[in-house]
Structures are given as structure tokens and as C-alpha cells.
Amino acid sequence: MTVNIKERYTISPSFTFIIIHAMLFGINFVLMTVKPIQFAGQDTWVAVLFCSAAIHLVVFMMYSLLNRHQMDLISLHILLFGKWIGLMLNLLFAFYFLLVTVYQVRLFIEVIQVWVFPEMKTWSMALVLLVIAYYIISSGFRVIVGICTFSLLNTVLFATIFFMIPYFHFNNLLPAMSHSPHDIFKASKELTTSYMGIEILLFCYPFIKTAKKSQKWAHWGLISMTSLYIIEVVFAIITFKPEQLAHEVWPALTKYKFIQFPFVERFEFIGASATVLRLFPVICLCIWVTSRIMKFTFSIRQVTALPFLLGFVFIAICLITNRIGVDVVQSWIRLSGITIIFGYIPFLYLFDILRAKVKMK
């Protein structure tokens, strides 16, 4: 059983790099360094490499499954577990991606409320963002991937970090390799949330031309983001002391306060506002996947499901009134993401291998 998608709806394998980059360069990037550095300090870059190696292995497992069956995870669930269990698992993934969307939008609104417009109402910003998201998603998968390319513009803005060189304290990198393997492991566990998003490939696979060729681009996307993560971690270490980072919520945005230009007085306004380029690729892909699951499960058009899904997201966002609520949703997503990436995907990989051997006998 294969999933056949018309060629005009598919993308080139190289765009897998863009999808990975967009999903891993989301709003989470602005706070990714805080907890890992508290565990591993100046050795956090080692934890980044360790976590990245584990994620590369998971991507290999994903592609082994997808290349063997030539279908996405929606159809694969039905094939491996039957209709009813498969549908239940698909709905669980739909709820997971909805939760990710709620968290990403609410976190972006919080950033804007803290850094730019303190008096802005949550519901008004959420409404504007979700209306724009509806327009993008209803235009189709290729348009969504096109929006993902805007996340690359944040890489240019990321380069402004080099203007902070006069404020760097390179002594903060010493002594090197002074933390225990247990501390490195705890930091790696915290960094897993930064790599959440790779599972989106399980649903995008049928929309990639000659999808087998996209695997190398997925790994290159991971390598590029690992490089950015290491740079961000090192710059956070040499800019802040660990005790300072313990009181920082968004160190990636705080660094913009150090940047000054004669023609821009508050550069952090630009940095905070530019995070919207990280937001739309993530939420559009997540809602697109959810609507595709709804289409497969309930035999309705994706465009028909969109208003209901976005309405659910809007209500959930409005119910999260403070930072405590954001942290609760983040903890749910973190637990779910770690379970999917390091639990469920390896389980599927091993289960499929055992199933194939049993069928051969």
C-alpha cells in the first residue's frame, strides 16, 4: 500500500532541509540554553553533540520505516496495528500537534507582550495570527514550505550576535570537560525539546519527490541546526554567568540589548518581532498535519476541518492566562516529544523489523 500524491503537490527532496531548519529554529530557540547550561555549564556544547547524534539515529530509523513502506505514518499505523488502533494513534498525534501549535502561538504572544507591547490582549494577537495561518494552510503544502524558507532570514538576524564581541568573557569556557557524564546526560535530555519537530517528516514523506533522496537533506538540516545550537550555547556561556542565566527567561533575546546602531535605539524590538518568522512555519506545518489526519480519519476535506482546528487552538490560547500555564503546556509537550522521539519511533522501527521476520517464516 503506497500513498500516491500528484506531482504538482510535491516538493523537491532538497526542501527537506528547509522543513527541518524551520521546525528546529522555532520559538523554542529563544530559551533553549537556560536549563542545559544549569546542568552542564561550559560543557553544554558536548551535550548538544551527544543529543544531535541520537537524533540522527532516530531520523535513520524514520527513513528506514518510510522507505520500506512508501507511505506516511497515518497509513502506516493502519497497516501495522489495524484500523481502530491505528485511528486512535493518529488522533493522538493530531492532539499532540494541536498542543504544539497552542504552545508556540502562546509563547510568541508572551514574547511580544513582554518585549514590545505590554498592554496587548492575548485574544486579539491570537486571532490575527490564526487568520493568517488559515490563509497560508488553505493554500496547500507547497505554499507552507515556501513560508518555511522565511525562517532562513532569522539566520541572518542571528549573525548580529557577532556585534556583541566586546562583551564576551572567554574565561567562562574554562575549565573544559569538568562536568560528569551524568550532568552531560541531563543537559542532553533538556536539549531534546530543541530537536522536537523532526517527527513532522513522518507525515510529509509522500509529498516529497523521490523521497528516498531526501534523507541526506534531512541529515544536513540537522547538522546545520546543531551548528547553530552550538554557536548559541557558546555565546550564551561567554556572555552570561550561569547564575545570571538562572534568572533569564529569553537569553537569545536579551543579547539584543547589547547591540546598538546609530539608527536603531532599541534593537531588541526588532529581534522580538522577527520571531514571527519562526512561528508561522511551525504552526502551519503542525495544523496542516492535523487537518490531514482529520481528512483521513473522518473523510472530510482539509479546508473544512481547518476552522474547527484553529477555533480549538484559539480557545486553548485564551485559556492560558499566565506564565504558569505556559510552563504546564511546555512540560506536557516536552514529555510527549521525548516519548515520541526516543520511545515510539524506535519501537515502531523494531516492531516493523520483527513483523517482517515473522511474516518471512
Side-chain angles (χ1 to χ4, degrees):
M1 178 182 175
T2 59
V3 179
N4 295 316
I5 304 296
K6 293 181 180 180
E7 187 173 350
R8 68 174 182 269
Y9 298 132
T10 60
I11 60 173
S12 170
S14 59
F15 279 96
T16 308
F17 178 95
I18 302 294
I19 293 174
I20 289 292
H21 187 280
M23 289 300 296
L24 301 191
F25 204 34
I27 305 295
N28 264 344
F29 187 83
V30 302
L31 41 78
M32 63 160 286
T33 58
V34 179
K35 290 185 178 180
I37 290 179
Q38 290 178 12
F39 288 119
Q42 67 273 18
D43 297 324
T44 305
W45 62 273
V46 180
V48 176
L49 292 176
F50 180 77
C51 186
S52 176
I55 295 296
H56 276 283
L57 180 60
V58 172
V59 170
F60 169 79
M61 294 178 182
M62 286 167 48
Y63 269 95
S64 296
L65 272 170
L66 297 171
N67 291 338
R68 188 179 302 122
H69 297 285
Q70 292 294 299
M71 63 178 69
D72 60 9
L73 187 61
I74 300 174
S75 301
L76 196 58
H77 277 153
I78 306 297
L79 176 68
L80 296 180
F81 303 110
K83 180 180 179 181
W84 297 110
I85 296 178
L87 291 178
M88 184 183 68
L89 290 171
N90 287 336
L91 289 175
L92 286 175
F93 268 90
F95 181 74
Y96 165 73
F97 284 115
L98 278 179
L99 203 61
V100 171
T101 303
V102 170
Y103 170 69
Q104 292 283 328
V105 176
R106 188 62 185 86
L107 185 60
F108 171 76
I109 293 173
E110 185 180 38
V111 168
I112 296 300
Q113 288 173 334
V114 171
W115 289 85
V116 186
F117 300 117
E119 301 300 323
M120 177 170 286
K121 300 295 183 182
T122 299
W123 71 266
S124 59
M125 175 64 82
L127 184 62
V128 171
L129 293 172
L130 294 178
V131 168
I132 296 173
Y134 174 85
Y135 176 74
I136 296 170
I137 300 165
S138 60
S139 299
F141 179 69
R142 288 167 63 95
V143 172
I144 296 173
V145 176
I147 293 297
C148 288
T149 59
F150 284 106
S151 69
L152 295 175
L153 295 177
N154 266 294
T155 308
V156 178
L157 188 64
F158 180 76
T160 58
I161 200 170
F162 290 99
F163 287 97
M164 296 170 51
I165 290 178
Y167 304 98
F168 289 164
H169 301 279
F170 292 96
N171 289 336
N172 291 354
L173 293 172
L174 299 174
M177 305 303 292
S178 59
H179 290 79
S180 67
H182 180 64
D183 291 334
I184 299 294
F185 176 78
K186 288 195 293 185
S188 299
K189 185 179 177 181
E190 291 294 334
L191 284 163
T192 302
T193 55
S194 299
Y195 285 96
M196 285 165 49
I198 59 167
E199 64 275 12
I200 207 80
L201 291 178
L202 293 167
F203 302 90
C204 299
Y205 184 84
F207 290 83
I208 304 172
K209 297 177 185 175
T210 56
K212 290 183 178 181
K213 295 182 180 179
S214 68
Q215 183 172 356
K216 66 177 181 181
W217 291 105
H219 287 289
W220 278 114
L222 283 174
I223 291 171
S224 70
M225 285 312 303
T226 299
S227 302
L228 287 178
Y229 288 168
I230 290 176
I231 293 172
E232 178 66 20
V233 164
V234 170
F235 281 3
I237 292 170
I238 62 181
T239 304
F240 305 98
K241 293 182 179 179
E243 54 269 24
Q244 290 176 312
L245 275 176
H247 301 286
E248 285 290 340
V249 180
W250 301 285
L253 295 178
T254 301
K255 70 176 185 286
Y256 290 128
K257 288 186 174 182
F258 295 89
I259 301 173
Q260 297 179 349
F261 294 105
F263 51 87
V264 179
E265 184 176 355
R266 301 291 298 274
F267 192 79
E268 63 267 25
F269 286 0
I270 297 176
S273 301
T275 54
V276 73
L277 299 176
R278 300 175 181 178
L279 174 70
F280 279 117
V282 176
I283 66 172
C284 288
L285 281 170
C286 288
I287 293 294
W288 176 83
V289 167
T290 307
S291 65
R292 184 162 170 77
I293 293 174
M294 294 297 106
K295 174 185 176 181
F296 187 91
T297 304
F298 301 109
S299 300
I300 59 175
R301 297 179 62 200
Q302 286 182 252
V303 176
T304 304
L306 268 181
F308 298 98
L309 297 175
L310 293 174
F312 172 85
V313 170
F314 177 75
I315 294 171
I317 290 169
C318 294
L319 291 176
I320 303 174
T321 57
N322 51 40
R323 180 69 196 178
I324 296 175
V326 176
D327 288 339
V328 169
V329 176
Q330 183 190 30
S331 64
W332 291 348
I333 293 173
R334 178 176 173 273
L335 178 61
S336 302
I338 292 175
T339 303
I340 290 171
I341 293 175
F342 291 120
Y344 187 64
I345 293 176
F347 164 76
L348 275 183
Y349 175 75
L350 296 174
F351 178 80
D352 188 56
I353 291 176
L354 292 174
R355 176 177 173 272
K357 289 184 176 180
V358 169
K359 287 183 69 175
M360 286 178 64
K361 292 181 179 179

